[in-house]
Amino acid sequence: MKKWFLAAAACLTVLLSGCDKNEPENDAFPLALGIEAEDGGTFHMYMAYPDLGDADASENALAKDAFWDGTMESLTEGTDRMSRSSNRNVDMNHLKVLMLDAEMLDGGQNAEELIAFFREKRDASWNAYVFLTEGEMQNLFSEEIQTDTCMGLYLEDIVEGWDKIKSGSLVTVGDLVSQYYNATEQLLIPEVTVDEDTPAVETFRVTEGMTAGERMSMEDVFAVYDSLIIYGDTK
């Protein structure tokens, strides 16, 4: 699934080596996007994108993240505010993962704001995998995180490495939008935490009607997918 992105990374490496006059370090390609609700009706947005300005980027453009975060009244302000504050053009087409604080899936105004954002941002990838988290957003979008590649790719590798769940059955942004219009649909969304400065997934949340519900263990979720395969349904 990510072969095309690795090819794009190779092209970026060529550009950064000085063989082209373009300056891709002036662009931001978020691979991970985090959104949480704050008191007072505001939102906080986080972005992690390949640090193309890093000294080692010419050798491996996907080795390290740069980070941005900001508070806003409307999510649609987020990418514009990031562009203004960092002097970078934001391209959401390469998004790999969307991380939501559980309060964003409240079945009400926060969920509506989330759907409005993705309907407005036509360049945002609806194939990005969805994760939930609770109180960990600042820890995830941090220089302290230890991974061997950009966080978006790291989390993508985790979920696509699960033998029990086919990649086509993992919840994407498009699935979340679908649930907004089909409130009876249930989704099992992985929950990401930080374990010794590394992102980890050990539980899932049952989501229905754009509301985050009970937790399920990895073992129980894998058992659910096993039963779906037996009965010929994987979504």
Side-chain angles (χ1 to χ4, degrees):
M1 181 177 179
K2 65 181 181 182
K3 289 182 179 178
W4 65 270
F5 190 80
L6 294 178
C11 292
L12 287 174
T13 300
V14 172
L15 292 176
L16 290 169
S17 67
C19 296
D20 195 290
K21 294 183 179 180
N22 292 330
E23 298 181 352
E25 66 269 22
N26 291 335
D27 295 326
F29 306 93
L31 303 184
L33 174 67
I35 300 174
E36 63 183 1
E38 296 187 326
D39 294 336
T42 58
F43 302 93
H44 205 95
M45 181 177 286
Y46 301 79
M47 296 184 197
Y49 52 95
D51 188 358
L52 303 182
D54 184 71
D56 297 325
S58 60
E59 297 181 3
N60 186 353
L62 303 178
K64 182 180 179 182
D65 278 313
F67 298 95
W68 177 89
D69 69 281
T71 299
M72 60 219 63
E73 294 184 359
S74 172
L75 292 178
T76 55
E77 302 174 19
T79 53
D80 292 338
R81 180 168 296 183
M82 191 275 192
S83 294
R84 292 195 302 269
S85 64
S86 65
N87 293 320
R88 295 177 184 270
N89 300 312
V90 181
D91 183 350
M92 299 282 286
N93 190 51
H94 304 285
L95 189 65
K96 293 294 184 180
V97 301
L98 168 66
M99 283 182 271
L100 301 173
D101 188 88
E103 291 186 359
M104 285 301 301
L105 296 187
D106 63 349
Q109 185 174 353
N110 291 344
E112 291 178 3
E113 179 72 17
L114 177 67
I115 299 304
F117 170 76
F118 278 99
R119 289 180 62 86
E120 173 73 18
K121 296 298 179 181
R122 297 292 183 178
D123 65 326
S125 173
W126 283 26
N127 291 323
Y129 296 130
V130 179
F131 293 78
L132 291 181
T133 189
E134 195 162 346
E136 290 275 29
M137 204 69 78
Q138 284 188 330
N139 297 327
L140 286 162
F141 288 83
S142 167
E143 297 281 355
E144 302 300 319
I145 286 291
Q146 301 295 316
T147 60
D148 56 2
T149 188
C150 292
M151 182 167 57
L153 293 176
Y154 183 84
L155 288 171
E156 181 188 57
D157 284 343
I158 287 179
V159 296
E160 291 190 349
W162 291 332
D163 294 333
K164 297 288 186 179
I165 305 178
K166 294 181 179 179
S167 60
S169 298
L170 295 164
V171 176
T172 65
V173 171
D175 294 323
L176 208 57
V177 174
S178 176
Q179 187 182 81
Y180 179 75
Y181 295 104
N182 182 15
T184 61
E185 183 181 18
Q186 282 192 340
L187 299 174
L188 296 174
I189 301 179
E191 189 170 34
V192 61
T193 60
V194 177
D195 183 13
E196 296 183 355
D197 295 330
T198 303
V201 178
E202 298 178 351
T203 57
F204 284 67
R205 296 289 289 271
V206 180
T207 303
E208 184 174 2
M210 295 295 288
T211 303
E214 65 177 317
R215 284 186 174 87
M216 292 181 66
S217 68
M218 297 276 288
E219 292 77 10
D220 288 343
V221 170
F222 289 162
V224 168
Y225 277 94
D226 276 341
S227 67
L228 292 177
I229 292 172
I230 292 172
Y231 290 101
D233 185 5
T234 58
K235 193 70 173 178

